[in-house]
Amino acid sequence: MNENKHQLPAEEQMVPKLTTHIEGLDMIAEGGLPKGRTTLVSGTSGCAKTILGVQFLINGIVCSEESGVFVTFEETPEDIMRNVRSFGWDLLTYREHEKLAFVDASPEPQGHSLEAGHFDFSALLARIEHAVSKVGASRVVIDSIGSLFSQFMDAGRVRQELLRIVSGLKRMAVTTLITAERTEEGSKIARYGVEEFVVDSVIILRNTREEERRRRTIEILKYRGASHHKGQFPFTISDQGIEVQPLSSMKLTQTSSTTRISTGNTILDEMCGGGFYRDSIVLLSGATGCGKTLTVTTFLYEGCRSEERTLLFAFEESREQLLRNAKGWGMDLKQWEQQGRLKIICAYPESLGLEDHLIRIKKEVAAYQPTRIAVDSLSAIERVANIKSFREFVIDLTAFIKAREIAGLFTVTTESLLGGTSITETHISSITDSIILMRYVELMGEMRRGLTILKMRGSYHDKSIREYQINDTGMHIGSLFKNVGGILAGAPRQHIHGETNKLAEMFEASS
């Protein structure tokens, strides 16, 4: 007897998926939503359930030539069309061209409440089926079932009626999103606690408060018969709708360049073994005023001189301040800006959420196509996020940059003038390829600056601590701090005469 005679071919055993054309969502869903089935989208008020629904329909029309039907139980079609116009979605035109149909079940302003037990869902299903047939829809959005079942008090009745609707939609062979409200974060997935059992997949949208800011996340909680990425993923609402940041979906598959680029300073190039790697991420750490912005300026200026395109994201100084300071160091950045080799983007970190900053940076990079990027400083951005979110931000940003073989120079600020590490540096030092430390050194009643290369993946580098000087011609790296120890610890002290030789002999004897 053939034991496999009732088994379906492998391709027929898999749940077919319908792409939403929301890139991050399709990535964490590993291809899209279950095709021909129903997905529940749950969330509290203001978490973008309706936007996701409309975007799902619009993307189907624009990207796949798939018509859609929007069933509304709360807002009128006119209100919905007006509310999403800011995203550039012209629903009226799609409706006129019969790419989109509305089923208006919104309450009449002076209407009376329906009584449980007398509502016939057959009429509703007939209206949906008529609309689906009229425009040839393959996508349906129902917004929202909380209003639909508001007249029912019995959860068992809700489950029975919802199952009836889901079965009806499945017979129509349409892929459906049904939105549902949660009363508060952490509460039941939907109002009646039974909705998630009837559908094939469940998406939860969250809009949680973290200190003084809100953070939006999306999670696929359930997906019958198919794998998907687990956990919460940050998303934001841009002028193009919902944009998901699928951090855990990123892969360490970037290529590795052996090409070296100049830092703009000959001595620093030699200390790095011939310059930075073309696709390396370099962290520049130091206290305020020790020369980080000057080093960044020199790095970008050298890129402009080499006919590269460079991009600076400044979160602490304005464009005019940066241009003035650079000119004071003998570097005319304005000329490069006018020639299109430099672009400066300045913003306070508090002006946007962390995900919004990330999306903006990515869009600027995609549009401008630079070969060098500098962020001054990451410590400023960290002010607007918690530790986990910030680390995710840096991982996503560095992966994005490295995938395009762009050299990145990021600055972080240490709290202590002498020695110590920054909180930022502690969290992201393992993510970056190279770390350059800049420290103040107090010697003989004088404050001087020192620079050393702490780490440089895949390359020899100078391990000495050299003096870093600033004058009206820019940065200069001088000789070693001889006979001085404890600089990185923030407690420099001069070795007494002969102690250095004694230490050298000690190491020679042990080797």
Side-chain angles (χ1 to χ4, degrees):
M1 181 179 175
N2 186 357
E3 296 179 352
N4 298 324
K5 70 177 185 178
H6 298 300
Q7 288 187 356
L8 296 171
E11 60 275 14
E12 294 184 25
Q13 294 178 17
M14 298 173 62
V15 175
K17 297 186 176 183
L18 180 74
T19 177
T20 65
H21 298 288
I22 301 172
E23 186 177 355
L25 177 55
D26 287 335
M27 195 172 290
I28 63 176
E30 297 185 1
L33 301 179
K35 188 175 182 179
R37 301 187 182 186
T38 301
T39 296
L40 182 74
V41 179
S42 174
T44 55
S45 174
C47 68
K49 298 184 294 296
T50 303
I51 294 175
L52 177 61
V54 175
Q55 191 171 354
F56 171 69
L57 295 182
I58 292 295
N59 287 356
I61 296 170
V62 174
C63 304
S64 305
E65 296 187 358
E66 296 171 337
S67 300
V69 171
F70 195 101
V71 185
T72 175
F73 290 98
E74 292 184 338
E75 301 175 274
T76 64
E78 289 72 24
D79 284 341
I80 293 169
M81 287 190 283
R82 190 180 304 115
N83 293 342
V84 302
R85 198 167 293 160
S86 60
F87 298 109
W89 300 335
D90 187 0
L91 302 189
L92 180 60
T93 299
Y94 294 129
R95 186 165 75 167
E96 290 174 349
H97 288 81
E98 296 195 344
K99 296 291 184 183
L100 175 69
F102 280 95
V103 174
D104 185 5
S106 60
E108 294 289 338
Q110 303 301 324
H112 299 289
S113 300
L114 295 172
E115 294 181 0
H118 296 280
F119 195 89
D120 184 4
F121 285 102
S122 299
L124 172 65
L125 281 171
R127 291 180 64 187
I128 296 174
E129 190 166 11
H130 173 73
V132 168
S133 175
K134 180 181 177 183
V135 299
S138 55
R139 300 182 182 217
V140 172
V141 171
I142 298 177
D143 185 41
S144 70
I145 56 171
S147 301
L148 175 61
F149 294 125
S150 60
Q151 71 274 23
F152 294 120
M153 300 301 293
D154 179 22
R157 179 71 190 280
V158 170
R159 181 170 183 163
Q160 179 184 358
E161 296 299 336
L162 182 58
L163 182 61
R164 185 178 172 190
I165 293 173
V166 169
S167 300
L169 292 165
K170 196 171 184 178
R171 282 196 300 274
M172 297 178 207
V174 292
T175 304
T176 306
L177 286 186
I178 296 180
T179 67
E181 302 92 352
R182 303 179 79 184
T183 53
E184 59 182 281
E185 298 294 346
S187 64
K188 291 184 293 188
I189 292 174
R191 181 171 299 177
Y192 300 96
V194 297
E195 295 89 331
E196 64 269 28
F197 300 108
V198 180
V199 297
D200 292 284
S201 65
V202 176
I203 294 174
I204 298 179
L205 301 179
R206 295 185 176 88
N207 186 16
T208 55
R209 183 172 177 176
E210 295 181 353
E211 296 180 348
E212 297 180 353
R213 289 190 166 272
R214 291 276 176 183
R215 183 170 188 253
R216 298 179 187 273
T217 61
I218 185 169
E219 177 184 11
I220 298 178
L221 184 69
K222 167 184 173 181
Y223 203 132
R224 275 179 186 153
S227 61
H228 61 89
H229 287 266
K230 314 295 190 300
Q232 299 181 33
F233 299 85
F235 78 92
T236 190
I237 302 173
S238 71
D239 57 358
Q240 297 177 348
I242 286 177
E243 298 193 39
V244 182
Q245 305 295 321
L247 178 64
S248 71
S249 301
M250 293 186 299
K251 299 176 181 176
L252 276 171
T253 55
Q254 301 97 336
T255 56
S256 185
S257 173
T258 56
T259 304
R260 301 271 190 168
I261 60 170
S262 174
T263 64
N265 182 280
T266 307
I267 304 298
L268 184 57
D269 287 347
E270 292 174 359
M271 292 178 71
C272 294
F276 298 154
Y277 281 124
R278 159 59 66 198
D279 58 352
S280 63
I281 305 297
V282 182
L283 193 66
L284 188 60
S285 168
T288 180
C290 68
K292 298 188 298 299
T293 303
L294 170 56
T295 307
V296 164
T297 304
T298 305
F299 170 72
L300 295 177
Y301 191 81
E302 176 62 21
C304 295
R305 286 201 321 126
S306 305
E307 299 185 357
E308 296 181 44
R309 293 167 74 86
T310 62
L311 183 57
L312 170 61
F313 293 96
F315 295 100
E316 292 180 327
E317 295 181 83
S318 69
R319 173 182 167 277
E320 293 303 322
Q321 282 180 299
L322 291 164
L323 293 179
R324 181 202 61 191
N325 296 343
K327 198 162 189 177
W329 295 320
M331 291 178 278
D332 185 4
L333 292 183
K334 197 168 186 177
Q335 61 162 328
W336 299 126
E337 196 178 36
Q338 291 170 343
Q339 293 181 28
R341 296 185 190 175
L342 171 67
K343 188 171 185 178
I344 302 174
I345 297 171
C346 303
Y348 278 116
E350 292 80 4
S351 63
L352 295 172
L354 201 62
E355 289 77 20
D356 299 304
H357 278 302
L358 182 60
I359 287 173
R360 183 183 185 190
I361 291 174
K362 286 183 174 180
K363 286 183 177 176
E364 293 288 351
V365 170
Y368 186 64
Q369 297 287 317
T371 52
R372 297 187 185 208
I373 290 177
V375 177
D376 187 25
S377 73
L378 282 181
S379 302
I381 299 178
E382 191 183 21
R383 293 201 305 260
V384 300
N386 60 31
I387 294 171
K388 181 175 182 295
S389 302
F390 177 70
R391 186 174 169 81
E392 289 176 352
F393 167 86
V394 176
I395 291 174
D396 200 336
L397 178 59
T398 53
F400 179 78
I401 292 174
K402 287 177 76 68
R404 287 158 180 76
E405 290 199 5
I406 300 172
L409 182 58
F410 303 159
T411 69
V412 296
T413 304
T414 56
E415 294 183 356
S416 173
L417 288 180
L418 301 174
T421 58
S422 70
I423 297 173
T424 310
E425 182 184 325
T426 303
H427 295 147
I428 63 173
S429 58
S430 60
I431 302 170
T432 56
D433 298 307
S434 305
I435 298 177
I436 299 175
L437 299 183
M438 304 182 73
R439 295 290 185 261
Y440 283 111
V441 185
E442 183 184 359
L443 285 175
M444 308 294 288
E446 184 181 357
M447 194 65 88
R448 297 157 75 174
R449 299 179 179 88
L451 178 147
T452 187
I453 298 173
L454 183 67
K455 160 188 167 184
M456 194 161 186
R457 278 182 181 143
S459 172
Y460 158 82
H461 63 88
D462 190 339
K463 298 176 180 62
S464 63
I465 303 175
R466 292 174 176 262
E467 184 165 13
Y468 181 98
Q469 295 177 322
I470 301 174
N471 60 21
D472 57 1
T473 59
M475 61 178 278
H476 302 277
I477 299 177
S479 56
L480 281 64
F481 281 98
K482 289 183 178 178
N483 301 329
V484 179
I487 293 177
L488 297 184
R493 64 181 181 86
Q494 286 189 294
H495 296 299
I496 59 174
H497 183 68
E499 186 178 352
T500 306
N501 293 336
K502 191 180 292 183
L503 287 171
E505 292 171 1
M506 187 185 303
F507 282 108
E508 285 176 3
S510 60
S511 61

